Amino acid sequence: MFNQNNKKMMEIKKDPALPKSKYEEVLAKYNTQLDDKTVEEEVKRIISEKVPENDTLEIKKFLMGSVELTSLSTTDSDQSIMAFTEKVNQFDEAYPLLPHVATICVYPCFASVVSNTLDVEGVEIACVSGSFPSSQALIEVKVAETALAVKDGATEIDIVMPVGKFLCGDYEGVCDDISELKQACGDKAMKVILETGCLKTASNIKKASILSMYAGADYIKTSTGKLSPAATPEAAYVMCQAIKEYYDETGIQIGFKPAGGLNTVNDALIYYTIVKEILGEKWLTNKWFRLGTSRLANMLLSEVTGQETKFF
């Protein structure tokens, strides 16, 4: 009987004669029917034609200021996070002519450690929250974790979109989760991680981007870095398109953060170029464009200083 009822519910849901939900109406304002091959070809064109002109010392310096220095390890401790944060303090003294990193990103239990240790003004304290990286927890637990992180000093919150709900077509559930967590953030910026590797298609990435922004995201972010594939240029291209269209429709500027799989300076230049080509100069600031990576910090520093440097 359960299976028969479930089947009927699915049939009702698919009936085109029924009125659209408000989430479907939101999606209908945007082009979400994308061809994966077309996206892939356009990304290849941008990389081959546009990336070389952005391979400059000044842009590499700029990218250092967009890095979100991240420690999300099972072995993290108060002592290790304190030392991690002290590195940011020391960097500001050692390289006063270079931009400091944008953010230190940690688990919520270390928000107070970072807050009490960080001396550098302008560096944000981000916490992954809402049952990162799976987002599989009761909403009450997610809200409590987020509120506690903010109370302890987090100035930004990174959450994961409930991917399972999205893939099942439960757009209301997706948006409700994001909206409740945004309320828990108060006036602190919230990044919504789409986990694009699980979404598979450009169309899904576009829909998830639109719904996340509609529900309250201040930034959209590609990946947790805990699953493979993580960030890809193709996902970034689609997400930036969504941000641009959403801005044109609403006037609301949303930030972008690729994360996971940023292994080389050239990777960072590719994402910079995609943002530049699709979103333009308005997004090319250390506030609106972030890079979720730690290994990249030393690589960028090495290229900027002209010698191999392992500072972080």
Side-chain angles (χ1 to χ4, degrees), residues 222-244:
T222 57
S223 320
T224 62
K226 302 296 186 181
L227 296 177
S228 183
T232 66
E234 291 77 17
Y237 176 87
V238 173
M239 291 169 70
C240 287
Q241 277 191 326
I243 290 171
K244 183 178 187 306

Side-chain angles (χ1 to χ4, degrees), residues 3 21 38 52 98 113 116 118 130 136 219 224 271:
N3 288 337
S21 71
T38 300
L98 294 179
V113 174
N116 292 330
L118 183 63
Q136 299 288 18
Y219 293 76
T224 62
Y271 290 114

Side-chain angles (χ1 to χ4, degrees), residues 68 103-108 111 124-132 142-160 178 181-182 184-193 216-221 257 290:
E68 296 207 350
T103 310
I104 297 174
C105 183
V106 295
Y107 283 112
E124 302 291 347
I125 302 170
C127 285
V128 294
S129 186
S131 192
F132 177 94
K142 296 182 189 181
V143 167
E145 183 181 37
T146 301
L148 287 169
V150 171
K151 180 184 75 68
D152 285 347
T155 60
E156 296 182 352
I157 295 292
D158 291 26
I159 68 162
V160 181
I178 293 171
L181 290 171
K182 177 57 184 172
C185 290
D187 61 354
K188 309 306 181 188
M190 183 179 73
K191 308 185 197 85
V192 176
I193 305 166
D218 297 293
Y219 293 76
I220 52 176
K221 175 179 168 181
K257 178 183 173 182
R290 300 284 182 78

Side-chain angles (χ1 to χ4, degrees), residues 1 17 28 31 69 118 180 209 212 243 259 262 273 279 285:
M1 179 63 72
N31 175 25
L69 207 62
L118 183 63
E180 286 200 47
S209 298
S212 296
I243 290 171
L262 278 72
T273 303
L279 293 172
T285 73

Side-chain angles (χ1 to χ4, degrees), residues 282-294:
K282 191 177 177 71
W283 270 263
L284 291 179
T285 73
N286 297 137
K287 175 181 178 179
W288 296 109
F289 175 51
R290 300 284 182 78
L291 296 166
T293 177
S294 287

